[in-house]
Amino acid sequence: MTLSGSIAALATPFGVDGVDERAFADLADWQIGHGTNGLAVATAEGEYATLEPHEYVRLVAVAAECAAGRVPVLVGIASPATDRAIAQGQLARTAGADALVVTTPPYIRPSQRGLLRHFEAVAAAVDLPLIVHNDPDRTRVDLAPQTAEHLRAVSGITGYIEGAPGLPRALSALRLRGDGLCVLTTDEVAAVPFLLAGGSGLFSVVANVTPQLCASLFSACLLGDGATAVDLQQRLSLLSQAIDGDADPAAMKYALFLIRGRFSPKPRLPLVEPSCVTERRIAAALERLRADVEYT
């Protein structure tokens, strides 16, 4: 599977009885209609760690039904145990996933050799394309660039998401291109130079709220229109900076609530709602982006 463009790491809306499937389906369909090139569900931004097994399966199934082949559905796995990651991957495949996003395992702090064997084992056991996600800020485990280069030789691994912040790490990841491996970044600050240098796409949180702007940014970079891309990035940074004021994804869910009122902003404990200061900053950023944001 060749993955490119703006990939939205979707938030999960919760109601009184669990996942609000109707609100989630509405979000997924809205994303596709506004240019998002892939739906990532049950990632950290989707509060993966708080989902019950039946909720996890239903999220994948609802996303697959909404996508209906229009865009790929990528499903997050962040288990610290390899056997459990494999079991979750098999559940995701049965529910309709097109690919897995397997994050560096948190909590147990494996060695570089252990990380590589973890990804090799999941890729061998689950008949789906596997995208490796390096997310050191969240997991406190960093897949070193020299280790990541070995991923190109692993059958079944088709993509790499560099989540380590900073332009040097994003550009360093571009060495992995080739042999069918696509490379994306999560760093929205580094997005424009990364994409202009040949990056495959952006794995985005802010795309939840501004799918059309994120899709336009990728298109501008694809056309080599750096001036337009920089302008779009500067506009997106207003919201990104406001959202970064509180724990992810609580602040992003509040922004979604402001523009899509039927989307519940409440995260699950131990996450809590953003502070009043962050809420005001998000509201102000959205007001400045009113011409680019669709309120419903």
Side-chain angles (χ1 to χ4, degrees), residues 53 56-65 73 75 77 85-100 125-129:
Y56 180 85
V57 170
R58 283 299 301 158
L59 271 180
V60 179
V62 171
E65 182 179 347
V73 174
V75 180
I77 293 177
I86 290 171
Q88 288 178 330
Q90 291 167 341
L91 281 175
R93 180 180 182 275
T94 301
D98 295 307
L100 304 178
V126 185
D127 187 20
L128 280 177

Side-chain angles (χ1 to χ4, degrees), residues 170-205:
L171 294 178
S172 175
L174 292 177
R175 293 182 298 180
L176 300 178
R177 289 175 304 175
D179 299 325
L181 206 68
C182 58
V183 182
L184 301 94
T185 183
T186 65
D187 190 340
E188 285 152 353
V189 175
V192 170
F194 171 80
L195 293 172
L196 288 173
S200 304
L202 180 64
F203 194 79
S204 176
V205 175

Side-chain angles (χ1 to χ4, degrees), residues 108-162:
I108 55 175
R109 300 180 68 185
S111 67
Q112 294 296 305
R113 187 163 59 96
L115 286 171
L116 188 58
R117 290 186 61 183
H118 174 76
F119 296 124
E120 289 172 341
V122 179
V126 185
D127 187 20
L128 280 177
L130 189 153
I131 300 158
V132 172
H133 181 196
N134 185 39
D135 192 6
D137 279 356
R138 190 177 295 273
T139 67
R140 295 297 182 260
V141 178
D142 188 7
L143 186 67
Q146 57 268 34
T147 305
E149 290 190 17
H150 292 286
L151 298 174
R152 290 185 296 183
V154 180
S155 177
I157 294 180
T158 62
Y160 180 72
I161 302 169
E162 182 57 86

